[in-house]
Amino acid sequence: MCSTITKEKQYVAAALHICTMALNATNFSSQALLDAQLELWHTTFCHIKSMALKTAVDLRIADAIHHHGGGATLTQIATQVTHHPSKTPCLRRLMRVLTTTGVFSILRHDNADADGDEPVYALTPVSNLLVGRSQNLAPLTAMMLHPVLVSPFFDLGAWFQHELPDPCIFKQTHGQTLWEMADRDATFDALINDGMVSESQFVMDIVVKECGEVFHGISSLIDIGGGLGAAAQAIAKAFPHVKCSVLDLDHVTTKAPTDTDVKYIAGDMFESVPPANAMFFKWVLHDWSDDDCVKILKNCRKAIPPREAGGKVIIMDIVVGAGPSDLKHREMQVLFDLYIMFVNGIERDEQEWKHVFTKAGFSDYKIIPVLGVRSIIEVYP
């Protein structure tokens, strides 16, 4: 035991020595200091990128460009978006940020001012997600960048100074939980519902195409916390043999559409879950603590048949460390983990998910990392 501790101390000392040498080697390099400042500024000003994107969504700039066939000059954009004419030069500066960051592109720019021609701004794969119908993520973007959801993070440092359990960051800022605000404020509730519906319509097309096999062999499915049922409707359309239902709170199901074969059930997943072959969770369990998830999943285990009879739980959520290993994917997963803290949620790695499944009485699981930063998890009783 002592030799192990000694080896650990030697390893730490060696690592610190290497770090110190590296720092000393760059302490006197002006370029290294400027590079460090650039990196610091790049992180510091990330919120400007977000706010530029929010402004593009608010002004519907992507729609303006789409209206002109996918390419538009600043003059053409200005005729479509709501802004004061005196701000047109500022609009040009906004477009410079949005093209530099890849939200839009410039089709013609070289010597544009010299020959009197304006640059033509075009949609990119990113801004294509802000127009159209089936793959339009503008409502989700508007939701996630809304001041009500952004402002709690200004109090993140203060939240860390309080002992757990304490109110989530959202409640610390607004005096009520997100769910309570949605229940009491119809406008905010619509913001949340519109955002989640747009996300469901986008991702479920991919789910059905890339991993539709997870819905094979089942005859009934309940989308737990499924809101207005966009995900359940997509599953029902792709797999007509599956009887799909949505379980959500009463104030949600009362707004559910009526022109669909999906059944809406008012209820509380913490109390009980109606019986079905499969339970489906899309971006739900990351909102809740381990103990809450265990309670929800135990209710699900009571409601589904044995594995041999097709019983399972299908979860769409982040598995930190699963999927592509490039920096952008990994960074997005851990950013989501910090983000979801605003409701006291958590993005789990495989071992953390396994702990929850085992504690809820499930025997096995399979992770299918086919959704970018998210995965499909099949959990078996």
Side-chain angles (χ1 to χ4, degrees), residues 141-315:
T141 306
M143 181 196 87
M144 300 187 83
L145 293 177
H146 192 278
V148 171
L149 295 184
V150 172
S151 58
F153 289 94
F154 290 104
D155 300 321
L156 184 58
W159 179 83
F160 267 103
Q161 298 173 41
H162 300 301
E163 183 180 0
L164 286 173
D166 64 342
C168 64
I169 310 168
F170 189 94
K171 186 172 183 177
Q172 176 183 267
T173 301
H174 298 298
Q176 56 187 329
T177 67
L178 181 143
W179 325 115
E180 290 168 343
M181 182 178 288
D183 192 22
R184 298 165 183 167
D185 185 331
T187 301
F188 182 69
D189 188 46
L191 176 77
I192 299 296
N193 285 331
D194 290 347
M196 298 315 297
V197 166
S198 75
E199 200 282 329
S200 290
Q201 291 173 338
F202 169 80
V203 76
M204 290 309 298
D205 283 347
I206 299 172
V207 169
V208 168
K209 184 185 301 182
E210 299 299 331
C211 45
E213 65 273 7
V214 301
F215 303 107
H216 294 168
I218 61 175
S219 59
S220 58
L221 174 146
I222 297 181
D223 184 0
I224 310 291
L228 299 182
Q233 290 173 41
I235 296 169
K237 181 179 179 181
F239 306 98
H241 66 281
V242 180
K243 181 181 178 182
C244 294
S245 304
V246 172
L247 176 72
D248 215 314
L249 298 175
D250 182 66
H251 82 270
V252 177
T253 57
T254 55
K255 301 181 182 70
T258 55
D259 57 341
T260 173
D261 292 332
V262 173
K263 181 182 178 182
Y264 292 84
I265 306 167
D268 187 340
M269 61 187 175
F270 288 102
E271 299 298 328
S272 65
V273 173
N277 285 149
M279 302 295 160
F280 181 69
F281 292 91
K282 186 189 77 68
W283 246 6
V284 171
L285 295 180
H286 73 164
D287 290 335
W288 303 100
S289 68
D290 286 2
D291 289 342
D292 285 335
C293 286
V294 168
K295 186 173 184 179
I296 295 166
L297 289 172
K298 279 184 175 180
N299 287 337
C300 291
R301 190 166 59 85
K302 295 174 186 176
I304 59 175
R307 181 175 183 176
E308 309 80 61
K312 62 181 175 180
V313 175
I314 304 168
I315 299 169

Side-chain angles (χ1 to χ4, degrees), residues 25-132:
T26 59
N27 270 346
F28 303 101
S29 167
S30 296
Q31 187 57 52
L33 289 172
L34 291 171
D35 289 344
Q37 182 193 49
L38 175 62
E39 195 67 35
L40 181 63
W41 279 1
H42 191 263
T43 300
T44 301
F45 281 86
C46 275
H47 70 290
I48 300 298
K49 287 174 61 175
S50 296
M51 291 304 104
L53 176 60
K54 180 183 185 303
T55 304
V57 172
D58 291 345
L59 297 180
R60 301 185 64 177
I61 294 175
D63 288 316
I65 295 174
H66 184 67
H67 175 78
H68 286 280
T73 64
L74 189 71
T75 300
Q76 291 172 323
I77 294 171
T79 62
Q80 294 289 318
V81 304
T82 303
H83 78 297
H84 194 277
S86 67
K87 299 285 179 64
T88 299
C90 299
L91 184 61
R92 183 185 300 276
R93 291 161 66 184
L94 174 66
M95 293 304 296
R96 184 166 58 186
V97 171
L98 293 168
T99 53
T100 301
T101 56
V103 177
F104 301 110
S105 65
I106 296 179
L107 293 180
R108 187 172 69 252
H109 181 66
D110 295 340
N111 299 319
D113 291 332
D115 61 16
D117 292 334
E118 290 188 79
V120 176
Y121 299 98
L123 299 176
T124 65
V126 174
S127 46
N128 262 309
L129 297 180
L130 303 177
V131 298

